[in-house]
Amino acid sequence: MASTKIVIIGAGVMGQGLAEAIATSGTDVTLVDRTTKLAERGMKGISESIEREISRWGLTKSDKRAILARIHPTSDLAEAEDAEFVIEAIPEDIDAKRALFEKLDGICNEETVFITNTGTLSVSEIAAVTEHPEKVIGMHFLNPVTRIPVVEIVKGLKTDAATFQKAVEFAEMLDKKWITVIEYPGYVTTRIIVPLLNEAMHVLMEGVATAEDIDEAMKLGFGFNVGPLTLADMMGLDVVMSWMENLIMELSDPKYSPCPLLRKMVRAQHLGVKTGRGFFEYDAEGNKISKNGTPIEAPESGIKK
Amino acid sequence: MKILVINCGSSSVKYQLIDTETETALAKGLVARIGMSASVLTHKPHDRPEVKVSGEILDHIVAIEYVVSILLSENHGVIKDRSEIQAVGHRVVHGGERFSESVLITKEMLAEIRSLIDLAPLHNPHNIRGINACMKTLPNIPQVAVFDTAFHHQIPPYAYVYGIPYILYKRYGIRRYGFHGTSHMYVSERAAAMMGKPVSELRLITAHLGNGCSITAIDRGKSVDTSMGFTPLEGLLMGTRSGDLDPAIILHIMAREELSLHEANTLLNKHSGLAGISGVSSDMREITKEAAGNNTNAKLALDIFCYRLRKYIASYAAALNGVDGLVFTAGIGENSPEVRAQACAKMDFLGIRLDETKNRQAIAKEMDISAPGTKVRVMVVPTNEELVIARDTLRLVQKQKA
């Protein structure tokens, strides 16, 4: 796919990851956020992410210059006008996403493919606000986008074959393996991982084993790269909880009820890597610094024995 | 005959239009940034100044169309009609075990080249793209593939099989293939001419020292061993590649730093070599300058580079049971008297000694730089892979006509 115009809306973590992945593949990309400042902050995040990858030997300094030169930050949504692909990477809020696509529908030409990067929301519901719902498709990339080699391509009820084919080409341009998902809450990855994470939290809460041992057992026992509690910390505990609430709302199955420990930690703003504390503790660069996070200890008793 | 020689990379096309009567390039150039913004074609006719043309060059097909158009253009062109281009010669990196020499490209041959993508995933796909583009843009003229590996196809099994289970060679074709074949072949023939003897009477060692570096032992015209192996990573130290190392090191680092395959691959190919050791540059000119200015890490990088080169020269002298000529070529080989001097120092036991003055004078030109009366002729020979490709293309086209 040569010389394709790609526009990403949302310069948060997912938008940054997508922009970095696209630019790394050698394609130019426009990164839009509400203000120039937010778009620039996205660029800073990308620059830091590349620095981390350089320190892990995955990229070189000249790669960094080339990649950053291919990303064009802006606050002007009108940049999407002549885009071949517009990728939405704003927070998981159905109303915000619908409002954005409605706006884009008035800006873009009718050939533009709209990609929503949602992990749980309904592509069809988002597509319904546009004049061309057949051009809307979901692509659920996983964070960090540059490192996770798989993407779920989510067909909405009206998505047409040509749009699906374009999404496949896009995934292959980014050197990602793709799977097809028929629209259904949680798709494949989120739906399956969430109960696993939740169960690990129950095991911890019930005092069966320490957080470190739970992670170690799952890593060594089943070949996970990271244990479930570390993974939850990396995803953000608030995000994990919002997925569960979405799933329980859509599927009405109590197996998706968030573990009370999860609720408690989210209330305490112990959200994982991003706040420095979750099931483990982290430094500012996101490295694990302690094997123990939120302590699970017996409450003190006021009754004299 | 006028032959277009093409070398396709992922986002670039290098070309030369060669007149085989005079064996000179009528024009040469480069299309860069294919499929990106600000693609640019740099074109240099042999008798006029260089020009740059920018445009939207979406893919290799458009790139080849640009090349043909500028070759035809009134101001910068060198031909009047596209029918003057009578054949196209393509550089193809990997010929596997299937291709021991250049071939005329047919549909069947193209399928076979495609089947080798597994062995050279970074190179062959782009080479194939270039072939397809030329077939479209210049239909009905012969296209020839010249392989980087072909010159090494007669290396004996004891030099190409690795010390791992033999079944892996059978299963995945894991063996030494060697690269830079056209360059090693060309400079060995030039060296023989300089020595006034047929190549079939000589034992030669050729050192191709460019961005990638490889050295080849040539026994009476046949490559019998070469330092690059299954991939171009093995052998000599290079600008950003490690060359030889204990394979356990990479396993150890991968475990310690929890590296992915991609990261480990980039570590060895882009963060290592001169750049990785010196922390200065991958460019030998800068390394030499810094080393002279007492930068200890640059000096170390230079020392490692030259020491390994000396070891390979001596081991290939053993492989050949003696050596008659040693050839330096490519960017570093043609332009660095420092590297040549240091690599040939303390080699008088083999009969290698340089003439210091001649060594300093030999910059990018053919020259014998050995001290008078020494046993081994040491020579600088600028390489010309495009000419080899043009010659092979001519030979195959004439054979087809006959």
Side-chain angles (χ1 to χ4, degrees), chain A residues 47-191:
Chain A
S47 173
E48 286 164 5
S49 157
I50 297 172
E51 279 298 332
R52 276 196 298 279
E53 196 50 27
I54 292 174
S55 72
R56 293 182 56 80
W57 316 108
L59 294 169
T60 63
K61 288 211 155 57
S62 59
D63 289 334
K64 181 181 173 181
R65 282 192 296 275
I67 293 167
L68 289 178
R70 290 185 201 117
I71 307 175
H72 314 287
T74 174
S75 59
D76 186 5
L77 199 60
E79 283 279 342
E81 188 189 348
D82 52 347
E84 189 165 342
F85 291 97
V86 174
I87 309 166
E88 161 279 310
I90 65 174
E92 285 282 83
D93 172 342
I94 187 82
D95 295 328
K97 288 192 198 261
R98 281 166 64 98
L100 174 65
F101 276 90
E102 201 167 359
K103 221 186 219 172
L104 285 168
D105 205 34
I107 293 171
C108 301
N109 63 51
E110 52 192 48
E111 292 303 312
T112 304
V113 170
F114 287 172
I115 297 170
T116 169
N117 177 48
T118 175
T120 49
L121 300 174
S122 160
V123 172
S124 304
E125 198 178 342
I126 295 168
V129 299
T130 70
E131 292 284 325
H132 295 281
E134 72 280 5
K135 296 282 176 210
V136 181
I137 194 163
M139 288 185 85
H140 179 219
F141 291 91
L142 282 74
N143 189 34
V145 182
T146 48
R147 300 177 69 88
I148 307 286
V150 73
V151 56
E152 293 177 276
I153 301 183
V154 188
K155 281 186 186 170
L157 294 174
K158 294 186 175 162
T159 307
D160 68 14
T163 302
F164 176 75
Q165 192 48 42
K166 285 201 156 183
V168 166
E169 283 171 25
F170 181 55
E172 287 175 352
M173 181 187 98
L174 298 180
D175 211 12
K176 303 285 183 210
K177 302 261 187 266
W178 50 272
I179 64 158
T180 315
V181 175
I182 306 303
E183 181 176 323
Y184 201 79
Y187 313 145
V188 173
T189 52
T190 311
R191 164 109 179 252

Side-chain angles (χ1 to χ4, degrees), chain B residues 95-340:
Chain B
E97 291 193 314
R98 167 66 185 79
F99 294 104
S100 55
E101 56 185 357
S102 308
V103 290
L104 267 170
I105 300 171
T106 59
K107 228 168 117 193
E108 292 74 30
M109 291 297 174
L110 195 57
E112 294 206 43
I113 295 170
R114 197 170 283 123
S115 72
L116 297 170
I117 283 180
D118 241 13
L119 292 174
L122 296 181
H123 296 106
N124 275 28
H126 311 307
N127 302 152
I128 291 167
R129 222 161 275 153
I131 293 170
N132 282 328
C134 287
M135 285 179 153
K136 210 162 228 175
T137 312
L138 297 164
N140 308 321
I141 65 167
Q143 316 252 348
V144 168
V146 179
F147 301 93
D148 239 24
T149 49
F151 182 57
H152 303 299
H153 84 283
Q154 295 188 79
I155 288 178
Y158 58 75
Y160 74 64
V161 175
Y162 287 102
I164 54 174
Y166 190 75
I167 189 75
L168 295 171
Y169 162 53
K170 287 288 171 205
R171 212 179 270 166
Y172 306 118
I174 292 174
R175 52 159 285 179
R176 177 181 310 286
Y177 289 99
F179 299 90
H180 294 143
T182 32
S183 176
H184 288 293
M185 184 181 84
Y186 174 79
V187 300
S188 67
E189 284 170 1
R190 287 303 314 152
M194 288 165 76
M195 294 167 79
K197 284 188 182 168
V199 78
S200 58
E201 288 176 15
L202 292 167
R203 296 161 300 177
L204 297 171
I205 297 172
T206 52
H208 177 108
L209 312 176
N211 280 324
C213 300
S214 72
I215 181 163
T216 299
I218 302 172
D219 192 7
R220 288 163 265 260
K222 282 185 199 168
S223 164
V224 293
D225 203 351
T226 189
S227 61
M228 282 181 171
F230 179 63
T231 72
L233 186 55
E234 195 184 349
L236 298 169
L237 194 76
M238 306 176 216
T240 59
R241 285 179 230 161
S242 66
D244 294 335
L245 87 168
D246 176 348
I249 293 169
I250 194 61
L251 303 178
H252 184 79
I253 299 171
M254 284 180 80
R256 286 297 294 267
E257 301 209 341
E258 294 185 9
L259 301 186
S260 66
L261 288 177
H262 164 78
E263 286 159 350
N265 192 36
T266 316
L267 165 64
L268 293 174
N269 280 291
K270 293 189 175 171
H271 287 277
S272 299
L274 293 173
I277 297 165
S278 71
V280 170
S281 168
S282 62
D283 189 327
M284 183 54 92
R285 285 167 294 198
E286 285 179 49
I287 295 283
T288 316
K289 213 192 309 166
E290 288 284 323
N294 285 329
N295 179 323
T296 46
N297 278 17
K299 172 83 165 50
L300 180 62
L302 177 65
D303 287 348
I304 295 171
F305 185 94
C306 296
Y307 175 65
R308 290 192 173 192
L309 191 49
R310 278 180 56 210
K311 282 208 296 190
Y312 263 104
I313 293 169
S315 70
Y316 283 175
L320 294 169
N321 187 22
V323 53
D324 303 304
L326 169 63
V327 184
F328 289 97
T329 190
I332 301 170
E334 292 167 29
N335 295 294
S336 176
E338 295 87 352
V339 167
R340 293 188 303 240

